[in-house]
Short mmCIF file of all heavy atoms in Angstrom, two decimals:
data_model
loop_
_atom_site.label_atom_id
_atom_site.label_comp_id
_atom_site.label_asym_id
_atom_site.label_seq_id
_atom_site.Cartn_x
_atom_site.Cartn_y
_atom_site.Cartn_z
N SER A 867 2.82 4.51 -10.02
CA SER A 867 2.81 4.93 -11.43
C SER A 867 4.28 4.89 -11.92
O SER A 867 4.57 4.39 -13.07
CB SER A 867 2.33 6.39 -11.58
OG SER A 867 0.92 6.39 -11.40
N ALA A 868 5.20 5.40 -11.18
CA ALA A 868 6.66 5.37 -11.51
C ALA A 868 7.15 3.98 -11.59
O ALA A 868 7.85 3.51 -12.58
CB ALA A 868 7.48 6.09 -10.53
N GLU A 869 6.72 3.10 -10.65
CA GLU A 869 7.10 1.62 -10.62
C GLU A 869 6.61 0.95 -11.92
O GLU A 869 7.26 0.13 -12.48
CB GLU A 869 6.53 0.94 -9.42
CG GLU A 869 7.38 1.34 -8.14
CD GLU A 869 8.66 0.56 -7.86
OE1 GLU A 869 8.88 -0.44 -8.56
OE2 GLU A 869 9.45 1.11 -7.04
N MET A 870 5.32 1.28 -12.21
CA MET A 870 4.67 0.60 -13.37
C MET A 870 5.46 1.03 -14.71
O MET A 870 5.74 0.14 -15.49
CB MET A 870 3.26 1.07 -13.54
CG MET A 870 2.45 0.45 -14.63
SD MET A 870 0.76 1.07 -14.67
CE MET A 870 0.97 2.82 -15.10
N GLU A 871 5.76 2.21 -14.84
CA GLU A 871 6.47 2.68 -16.03
C GLU A 871 7.87 2.08 -16.08
O GLU A 871 8.34 1.72 -17.17
CB GLU A 871 6.56 4.21 -16.07
CG GLU A 871 5.19 4.84 -16.37
CD GLU A 871 5.16 6.36 -16.35
OE1 GLU A 871 6.26 6.97 -16.21
OE2 GLU A 871 4.05 6.92 -16.48
N HIS A 872 8.50 1.98 -14.90
CA HIS A 872 9.79 1.42 -14.86
C HIS A 872 9.73 -0.09 -15.19
O HIS A 872 10.58 -0.62 -15.92
CB HIS A 872 10.48 1.61 -13.52
CG HIS A 872 11.89 1.29 -13.45
ND1 HIS A 872 12.90 2.08 -14.02
CD2 HIS A 872 12.52 0.18 -12.89
CE1 HIS A 872 14.05 1.56 -13.77
NE2 HIS A 872 13.83 0.44 -13.14
N ALA A 873 8.71 -0.76 -14.67
CA ALA A 873 8.56 -2.18 -14.97
C ALA A 873 8.29 -2.39 -16.51
O ALA A 873 8.86 -3.32 -17.09
CB ALA A 873 7.33 -2.73 -14.19
N TRP A 874 7.56 -1.47 -17.15
CA TRP A 874 7.39 -1.56 -18.60
C TRP A 874 8.74 -1.40 -19.29
O TRP A 874 9.06 -2.13 -20.19
CB TRP A 874 6.43 -0.53 -19.12
CG TRP A 874 4.96 -0.78 -18.71
CD1 TRP A 874 4.40 -1.89 -18.29
CD2 TRP A 874 3.94 0.26 -18.73
NE1 TRP A 874 3.06 -1.71 -18.11
CE2 TRP A 874 2.76 -0.35 -18.34
CE3 TRP A 874 3.90 1.57 -19.02
CZ2 TRP A 874 1.56 0.27 -18.20
CZ3 TRP A 874 2.76 2.29 -18.98
CH2 TRP A 874 1.57 1.63 -18.50
N LEU A 875 9.54 -0.41 -18.86
CA LEU A 875 10.77 -0.11 -19.42
C LEU A 875 11.71 -1.31 -19.42
O LEU A 875 12.50 -1.60 -20.31
CB LEU A 875 11.47 1.08 -18.74
CG LEU A 875 12.82 1.55 -19.14
CD1 LEU A 875 12.74 2.05 -20.62
CD2 LEU A 875 13.35 2.57 -18.23
N THR A 876 11.68 -2.06 -18.26
CA THR A 876 12.67 -3.10 -18.03
C THR A 876 12.06 -4.46 -18.25
O THR A 876 12.66 -5.49 -17.96
CB THR A 876 13.18 -3.05 -16.58
OG1 THR A 876 12.06 -3.14 -15.60
CG2 THR A 876 13.95 -1.76 -16.27
N ASN A 877 10.89 -4.51 -18.85
CA ASN A 877 10.20 -5.83 -19.21
C ASN A 877 10.00 -6.61 -17.92
O ASN A 877 10.07 -7.90 -17.96
CB ASN A 877 10.94 -6.56 -20.26
CG ASN A 877 10.83 -5.87 -21.62
OD1 ASN A 877 9.75 -5.39 -22.04
ND2 ASN A 877 11.96 -5.77 -22.30
N ASP A 878 9.63 -6.02 -16.83
CA ASP A 878 9.43 -6.81 -15.62
C ASP A 878 8.05 -7.51 -15.70
O ASP A 878 7.11 -6.90 -16.02
CB ASP A 878 9.45 -5.73 -14.46
CG ASP A 878 9.40 -6.43 -13.13
OD1 ASP A 878 8.87 -7.57 -13.00
OD2 ASP A 878 9.80 -5.74 -12.14
N PRO A 879 8.08 -8.80 -15.46
CA PRO A 879 6.80 -9.51 -15.50
C PRO A 879 5.83 -9.16 -14.43
O PRO A 879 4.64 -9.43 -14.51
CB PRO A 879 7.22 -11.03 -15.37
CG PRO A 879 8.60 -10.95 -14.78
CD PRO A 879 9.23 -9.62 -15.21
N ALA A 880 6.29 -8.39 -13.41
CA ALA A 880 5.36 -7.95 -12.35
C ALA A 880 4.64 -6.68 -12.73
O ALA A 880 3.80 -6.18 -11.90
CB ALA A 880 6.15 -7.73 -11.03
N ALA A 881 4.75 -6.18 -13.97
CA ALA A 881 4.11 -4.94 -14.38
C ALA A 881 2.62 -5.01 -14.15
O ALA A 881 2.07 -3.90 -13.73
CB ALA A 881 4.50 -4.64 -15.78
N SER A 882 1.93 -6.06 -14.44
CA SER A 882 0.46 -6.01 -14.33
C SER A 882 0.07 -5.93 -12.85
O SER A 882 -0.93 -5.35 -12.50
CB SER A 882 -0.13 -7.24 -15.00
OG SER A 882 0.40 -8.46 -14.39
N ASP A 883 0.86 -6.60 -11.95
CA ASP A 883 0.56 -6.53 -10.54
C ASP A 883 0.75 -5.11 -10.05
O ASP A 883 -0.05 -4.61 -9.23
CB ASP A 883 1.38 -7.51 -9.69
CG ASP A 883 1.06 -8.97 -10.02
OD1 ASP A 883 -0.12 -9.26 -10.43
OD2 ASP A 883 1.92 -9.79 -9.81
N ILE A 884 1.80 -4.46 -10.45
CA ILE A 884 2.03 -3.07 -10.07
C ILE A 884 1.00 -2.17 -10.63
O ILE A 884 0.55 -1.27 -9.88
CB ILE A 884 3.46 -2.69 -10.66
CG1 ILE A 884 4.62 -3.49 -9.94
CG2 ILE A 884 3.78 -1.21 -10.43
CD1 ILE A 884 5.98 -3.43 -10.65
N ALA A 885 0.56 -2.43 -11.80
CA ALA A 885 -0.54 -1.65 -12.39
C ALA A 885 -1.84 -1.81 -11.56
O ALA A 885 -2.53 -0.75 -11.40
CB ALA A 885 -0.79 -2.00 -13.83
N ALA A 886 -2.07 -2.95 -11.06
CA ALA A 886 -3.27 -3.23 -10.27
C ALA A 886 -3.13 -2.40 -8.97
O ALA A 886 -4.17 -1.81 -8.48
CB ALA A 886 -3.44 -4.67 -9.97
N ASP A 887 -1.99 -2.41 -8.29
CA ASP A 887 -1.79 -1.64 -7.12
C ASP A 887 -1.98 -0.13 -7.33
O ASP A 887 -2.57 0.63 -6.55
CB ASP A 887 -0.45 -1.86 -6.45
CG ASP A 887 -0.35 -3.30 -5.88
OD1 ASP A 887 -1.36 -3.88 -5.55
OD2 ASP A 887 0.80 -3.73 -5.66
N ARG A 888 -1.43 0.34 -8.51
CA ARG A 888 -1.55 1.75 -8.92
C ARG A 888 -3.10 2.12 -9.07
O ARG A 888 -3.48 3.16 -8.59
CB ARG A 888 -0.82 2.01 -10.19
CG ARG A 888 -0.89 3.41 -10.69
CD ARG A 888 -0.70 3.42 -12.27
NE ARG A 888 -1.36 4.58 -12.80
CZ ARG A 888 -2.63 4.71 -13.12
NH1 ARG A 888 -3.50 3.74 -12.92
NH2 ARG A 888 -3.11 5.75 -13.63
N THR A 889 -3.79 1.19 -9.69
CA THR A 889 -5.19 1.46 -9.85
C THR A 889 -5.93 1.53 -8.52
O THR A 889 -6.84 2.40 -8.29
CB THR A 889 -5.82 0.36 -10.78
OG1 THR A 889 -5.28 0.46 -12.02
CG2 THR A 889 -7.35 0.59 -10.90
N SER A 890 -5.56 0.69 -7.62
CA SER A 890 -6.14 0.62 -6.24
C SER A 890 -5.95 1.98 -5.63
O SER A 890 -6.87 2.57 -4.93
CB SER A 890 -5.62 -0.45 -5.36
OG SER A 890 -5.96 -1.72 -5.94
N PHE A 891 -4.66 2.51 -5.61
CA PHE A 891 -4.44 3.78 -4.97
C PHE A 891 -5.05 4.95 -5.66
O PHE A 891 -5.43 5.91 -5.00
CB PHE A 891 -2.94 3.91 -4.79
CG PHE A 891 -2.42 3.20 -3.65
CD1 PHE A 891 -1.59 2.05 -3.80
CD2 PHE A 891 -2.72 3.54 -2.36
CE1 PHE A 891 -1.12 1.36 -2.72
CE2 PHE A 891 -2.26 2.85 -1.23
CZ PHE A 891 -1.43 1.82 -1.41
N ALA A 892 -5.18 4.85 -7.01
CA ALA A 892 -5.87 5.92 -7.69
C ALA A 892 -7.32 6.00 -7.35
O ALA A 892 -7.90 7.11 -7.15
CB ALA A 892 -5.70 5.75 -9.22
N MET A 893 -7.98 4.84 -7.16
CA MET A 893 -9.37 4.78 -6.75
C MET A 893 -9.48 5.28 -5.25
O MET A 893 -10.45 6.05 -4.96
CB MET A 893 -9.90 3.42 -6.83
CG MET A 893 -10.11 2.97 -8.31
SD MET A 893 -11.00 1.45 -8.66
CE MET A 893 -10.37 0.29 -7.45
N LEU A 894 -8.56 4.91 -4.40
CA LEU A 894 -8.64 5.34 -3.05
C LEU A 894 -8.43 6.87 -2.94
O LEU A 894 -9.12 7.57 -2.18
CB LEU A 894 -7.49 4.64 -2.16
CG LEU A 894 -7.87 3.23 -1.85
CD1 LEU A 894 -6.60 2.55 -1.32
CD2 LEU A 894 -8.99 3.10 -0.88
N THR A 895 -7.59 7.42 -3.81
CA THR A 895 -7.36 8.88 -3.84
C THR A 895 -8.63 9.59 -4.25
O THR A 895 -9.07 10.53 -3.64
CB THR A 895 -6.22 9.18 -4.84
OG1 THR A 895 -5.08 8.55 -4.42
CG2 THR A 895 -5.94 10.69 -4.87
N SER A 896 -9.26 9.09 -5.31
CA SER A 896 -10.55 9.67 -5.75
C SER A 896 -11.61 9.58 -4.73
O SER A 896 -12.38 10.52 -4.54
CB SER A 896 -10.95 9.02 -7.11
OG SER A 896 -10.04 9.26 -8.12
N ALA A 897 -11.69 8.44 -4.07
CA ALA A 897 -12.76 8.22 -3.09
C ALA A 897 -12.66 9.12 -1.83
O ALA A 897 -13.63 9.43 -1.22
CB ALA A 897 -12.80 6.80 -2.65
N THR A 898 -11.39 9.48 -1.49
CA THR A 898 -11.20 10.35 -0.32
C THR A 898 -11.02 11.79 -0.59
O THR A 898 -10.90 12.61 0.37
CB THR A 898 -10.00 9.82 0.52
OG1 THR A 898 -8.82 9.83 -0.29
CG2 THR A 898 -10.30 8.40 0.98
N MET A 899 -10.92 12.17 -1.86
CA MET A 899 -10.62 13.60 -2.22
C MET A 899 -11.89 14.47 -2.18
O MET A 899 -12.95 14.05 -2.75
CB MET A 899 -9.99 13.55 -3.62
CG MET A 899 -9.56 14.87 -4.12
SD MET A 899 -8.61 14.69 -5.66
CE MET A 899 -9.75 13.80 -6.70
N ALA A 900 -11.70 15.64 -1.55
CA ALA A 900 -12.78 16.61 -1.63
C ALA A 900 -12.83 17.16 -3.12
O ALA A 900 -11.80 17.23 -3.78
CB ALA A 900 -12.53 17.66 -0.63
N PRO A 901 -14.01 17.62 -3.56
CA PRO A 901 -14.19 18.09 -4.89
C PRO A 901 -13.17 19.23 -5.35
O PRO A 901 -12.80 19.29 -6.42
CB PRO A 901 -15.63 18.51 -5.01
CG PRO A 901 -16.30 17.79 -3.90
CD PRO A 901 -15.33 17.54 -2.83
N ASP A 902 -12.89 20.04 -4.37
CA ASP A 902 -12.01 21.23 -4.69
C ASP A 902 -10.54 20.97 -4.56
O ASP A 902 -9.70 21.77 -4.67
CB ASP A 902 -12.42 22.42 -3.85
CG ASP A 902 -12.26 22.16 -2.36
OD1 ASP A 902 -12.19 21.03 -1.98
OD2 ASP A 902 -12.26 23.14 -1.59
#
Side-chain angles (χ1 to χ4, degrees):
S867 291
E869 289 278 344
M870 181 181 68
E871 290 175 5
H872 191 75
W874 290 339
L875 175 70
T876 60
N877 291 317
D878 186 335
S882 61
D883 293 335
I884 294 167
D887 288 340
R888 180 206 155 276
T889 299
S890 295
F891 279 110
M893 290 188 319
L894 288 166
T895 301
S896 294
T898 58
M899 183 173 53
D902 61 341

